[in-house]
């Protein structure tokens, strides 16, 4: 059955590139968007042949606009125009034309008038063995609700006329979807799927620029699909996504993300839905925290990084028996410094410079996590790539780094380490609080689907942060017990600090790791004694905080003296301090949470500006 489809408008590139990307991602079908065809160098017969070669059915040709309810003489011209599209469809080898509800000011309302037009067009289409699907645009002039479109289709009462249901047009205006369930499944000619983030925007701009794949936005696409499933509809599910990032990004990646979103939706809908997949997906991997974080560096940087770790109170607890790999520990935090001159870490170092080459996640079952990741087309690794070349199941994560899955069996990742005894430290740091990764804005939705698809993580509301040189979008994803927290930072302005990080790091990657502590003042005092030094925060910031929160003078003095940032959320309080940037690549944060769930977004702009001052070329005057 040709059931997994995507509209060519969703992807970047020329039509043939789009079709190849769609086929290689694993779709069965496409909707050909008329403009993609018109702007393409060769004709419909060549596209038909290419689709046959790629094993892609063309499930619809779209869109045909401003058809129903036109007065004469436009009406006659509209029918003539439709006949020409029928010719084209026959050359393309598709039998379904998508007609969206009329937006022309010239059009006349009236359900019966529209039904009559469709009945007549149905006769013409049927003569050629073609079908017409009618879709209510949320901004249609007379018809903007699928329930009205259905009434027109019902009254047209023609076997070649059916309805097209698009999740965006039903959900964005907030129409109830329950009525959908009473439409006979065989009168639904196509189901189009799109999600979108909640935005205060006119619906047309929202639809044209900000649609996303199911699971990437805030619309209840699952409810929409449950109503569709109740109709007995068994035709294609077609992704139709108008999104500026998708149209600018990699067609291959977008197509893969699209397929991933359909696999996830399909799995979520079972058992009421005749799923595409033979087997249900393995359950989402339950994260239990960060097992370890591996840094790839060279020999010189290994020494510098080790000194920084020591200043932060880490103890060297292991040295690999045969490799240039060290283990550093504190509380539950495990860090690995890998300065081998071959292997995965080394190639990561050569490509990206010093940085995090792998994150090991503690999960309930590494085998099942790998199964799920594979079903979702993540790129897997089974070679020995763990610290010191141990075989740990892994997948490719952000920016060419690896995500290892550790369960009970993987707990022996440290077997090849010779224990090193050093002074028992204070263990002021308890655990990894969160890991922040930077990426170009157009990759954010992709990584969001990656993380939330494979792991049991949920999204927090997206934040917008002002960098001195542009805006940064920040998206946190966390698990239920908050033992795993990732913050994805995306920037489209190319001079923001995350963007600069991305260009210097030659790709996306970990920008900072935050550690949790119980008492930030004691922790920072201890670290200072060991030689640690923290990011300078301007006095203006503290004046503002003092006025805003009415903090006790003694606390204010401590914050100022220690470069600690403060935030409050209801009763919750948050304290954070940052190290200087290591080799212009990454940095560390120490946080203390007191009944606080966020990430100090209010302070992020202050921190970014402070860092920008530190990394600014020396030729610029310091102010
Ligand atoms: Mg649509
Ligand atoms: Mg942070």
């Amino acid at each position: 059955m040709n059931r997994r489809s995507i509209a060519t408008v969703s992807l970047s590139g020329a039509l043939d590139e789009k079709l190849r990307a769609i086929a290689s991602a694993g779709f069965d079908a496409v909707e050909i968007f008329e403009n993609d065809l018109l702007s393409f160098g060769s004709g419909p017969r060549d596209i038909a042949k290419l689709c046959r070669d790629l094993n892609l059915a063309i499930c619809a040709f779209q869109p045909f606009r401003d058809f129903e309810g036109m007065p004469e003489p436009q009406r006659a011209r509209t029918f003539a125009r439709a006949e020409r599209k029928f010719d084209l469809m026959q050359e393309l080898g598709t039998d379904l034309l998508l007609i969206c509800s009329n937006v022309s000011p010239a059009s006349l309302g009236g359900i019966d008038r529209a039904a009559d037009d469709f009945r007549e067009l149905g006769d013409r289409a049927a003569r050629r063995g073609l079908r017409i699907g009618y879709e209510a645009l949320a901004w249609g002039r007379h018809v903007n609700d699928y329930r009205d479109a259905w009434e027109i289709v019902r009254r047209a009462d023609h076997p070649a006329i059916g309805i097209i249901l698009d999740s965006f047009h039903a959900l964005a205006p907030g129409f109830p979807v329950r009525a959908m369930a009473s439409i006979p499944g065989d009168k639904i000619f196509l189901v189009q799927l799109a999600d979108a983030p909640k935005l205060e925007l006119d619906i047309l701009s929202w639809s044209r620029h900000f649609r996303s794949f199911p699971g990437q936005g805030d619309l209840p696409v699952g409810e929409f699909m449950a109503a569709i499933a109740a109709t007995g509809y068994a035709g294609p599910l077609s992704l139709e996504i108008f999104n500026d990032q998708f149209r600018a990004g990699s067609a291959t990646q977008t197509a893969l993300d699209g397929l991933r979103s359909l696999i996830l939706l399909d799995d979520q809908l079972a058992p009421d839905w005749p799923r595409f997949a033979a087997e249900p997906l393995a359950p989402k991997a339950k994260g239990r925290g960060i097992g370890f974080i591996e840094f790839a560096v060279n020999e010189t940087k290994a020494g510098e990084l080790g000194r920084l770790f020591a200043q932060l109170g880490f103890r060297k607890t292991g040295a690999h028996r045969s490799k240039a790999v060290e283990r550093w520990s504190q509380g539950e935090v495990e860090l690995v410094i890998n300065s081998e001159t071959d292997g995965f870490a080394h190639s990561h170092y050569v490509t990206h410079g010093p940085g995090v080459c792998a994150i090991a996640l503690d999960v309930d079952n590494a085998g099942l996590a790998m199964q799920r990741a594979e079903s979702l087309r993540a790129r897997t690794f089974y070679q020995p790539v763990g610290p010191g070349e141990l075989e740990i199941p892994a997948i490719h994560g952000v920016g060419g780094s690896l995500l290892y899955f550790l369960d009970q069996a993987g707990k022996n990742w440290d077997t090849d380490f010779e224990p090193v005894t050093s002074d028992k430290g204070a263990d002021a740091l308890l655990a990894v609080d969160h890991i922040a990764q930077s990426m170009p804005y157009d990759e954010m939705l992709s990584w969001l689907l990656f993380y939330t698809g494979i792991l049991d993580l949920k999204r927090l509301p997206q934040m917008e942060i002002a960098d001195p040189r542009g805006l940064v979008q920040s998206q946190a994803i966390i698990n239920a017990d908050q033992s795993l927290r990732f913050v994805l930072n995306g920037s489209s302005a190319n001079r923001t600090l995350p963007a600069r990080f991305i260009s210097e790091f030659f790709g996306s990657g970990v920008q900072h790791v935050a550690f949790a502590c119980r008492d930030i003042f004691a922790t920072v005092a201890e670290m200072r004694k060991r030689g640690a030094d923290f990011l300078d925060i301007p006095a203006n910031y503290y004046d503002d905080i003092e006025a805003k929160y009415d903090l006790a003078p003694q606390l204010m003095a401590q914050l100022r003296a220690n470069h600690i940032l403060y935030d409050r959320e209801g009763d919750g309080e948050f304290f954070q301090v940052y190290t200087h940037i290591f080799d212009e690549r990454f940095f560390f944060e120490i946080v203390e949470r007191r009944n606080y769930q966020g990430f100090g977004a209010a302070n992020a702009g202050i921190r970014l500006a402070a860092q920008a001052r530190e990394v600014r070329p020396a030729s610029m005057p310091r102010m």
Side-chain angles (χ1 to χ4, degrees), residues 62 98 135 137 164 166 169 192 211 240 242:
Q62 65 127 321
L98 179 153
E135 176 192 37
L137 293 183
I164 291 183
D166 178 315
H169 290 298
Q192 295 181 315
R211 286 184 176 216
E240 190 199 33
F242 305 90

Side-chain angles (χ1 to χ4, degrees), residues 453-471:
I454 296 169
L455 293 154
D456 197 11
L457 296 169
K458 65 164 193 197
R459 280 182 295 153
L460 298 184
Q462 203 175 93
M463 305 275 201
E464 199 165 81
I465 289 162
D467 180 277
R469 312 238 182 260
L471 280 181

Side-chain angles (χ1 to χ4, degrees), residues 411-607:
K411 282 278 153 61
N412 61 356
W413 63 271
D414 56 355
T415 45
D416 288 331
F417 287 84
E418 198 83 65
V420 173
T421 34
S422 44
D423 302 343
K424 177 88 185 91
D427 270 2
L429 299 182
L430 307 170
V432 172
D433 183 89
H434 63 274
I435 296 178
Q437 295 181 306
S438 293
M439 57 198 60
Y441 181 61
D442 61 17
E443 284 183 18
M444 265 183 93
L445 286 176
S446 178
W447 291 113
L448 180 66
L449 197 63
F450 169 89
Y451 277 119
T452 56
I454 296 169
L455 293 154
D456 197 11
L457 296 169
K458 65 164 193 197
R459 280 182 295 153
L460 298 184
Q462 203 175 93
M463 305 275 201
E464 199 165 81
I465 289 162
D467 180 277
R469 312 238 182 260
L471 280 181
V472 177
Q473 301 294 332
S474 187
Q475 171 73 67
I477 41 180
I478 64 173
N479 67 351
D481 67 6
Q482 309 210 11
S483 58
L484 271 190
R485 298 187 188 94
F486 288 97
V487 179
L488 312 183
N489 291 317
S491 175
S492 41
N494 56 16
R495 294 174 69 213
T496 60
L497 200 72
R500 185 172 163 161
F501 165 84
I502 292 161
S503 65
E504 276 169 18
F505 197 66
F506 300 106
S508 314
V510 170
Q511 192 203 40
H512 74 267
V513 176
F515 304 116
C517 72
R518 201 169 283 123
D519 177 346
I520 198 162
F521 298 106
T523 302
V524 166
E526 178 69 24
M527 288 174 174
R528 281 191 193 285
K529 256 190 262 163
R530 295 173 187 270
D533 190 38
F534 298 97
L535 181 70
D536 262 318
I537 302 299
N540 297 342
Y541 167 79
Y542 292 103
D543 296 343
D544 180 58
I545 288 292
E546 189 163 24
K548 198 156 139 196
Y549 297 115
D550 193 25
L551 297 172
Q554 197 201 344
L555 178 61
M556 276 314 305
Q558 275 187 300
L559 292 175
R560 283 177 200 270
N562 291 295
H563 307 188
I564 294 172
L565 298 148
Y566 176 85
D567 191 31
R568 191 186 287 173
E569 223 176 50
D571 294 343
E573 288 183 300
F574 190 55
F575 301 84
Q576 45 184 171
V577 69
Y578 293 95
T579 66
H580 296 289
I581 302 182
F582 183 84
D583 207 36
E584 298 202 4
R585 305 289 169 155
F586 56 85
F587 53 94
F588 298 98
E589 176 183 5
I590 292 105
V591 306
E592 182 190 337
R593 295 175 181 274
R594 295 183 190 165
N595 191 28
Y596 175 97
Q597 313 302 323
F599 296 86
N603 295 329
I606 304 293
R607 185 257 297 166

Side-chain angles (χ1 to χ4, degrees), residues 6 27 213 239 253-263 449:
I6 186 167
F27 284 92
F213 291 127
L239 298 163
Q253 186 58 50
T254 306
L256 179 66
D257 289 342
L259 192 80
R260 189 171 279 166
S261 78
L262 281 185
I263 295 171
L449 197 63

Side-chain angles (χ1 to χ4, degrees), residues 139-158:
W139 52 89
R141 188 157 184 96
H142 302 286
V143 173
N144 53 32
D145 183 329
Y146 77 90
R147 290 166 292 190
D148 294 332
W150 167 238
E151 187 53 25
I152 289 167
V153 167
R154 203 184 62 78
R155 289 194 204 177
D157 190 23
H158 195 289

Side-chain angles (χ1 to χ4, degrees), residues 44-58:
R45 287 182 199 281
D46 294 322
I47 292 305
K49 176 168 185 325
L50 179 58
C51 287
R52 274 196 305 278
D53 292 347
L54 293 171
N55 230 341
L56 287 174
I58 302 176

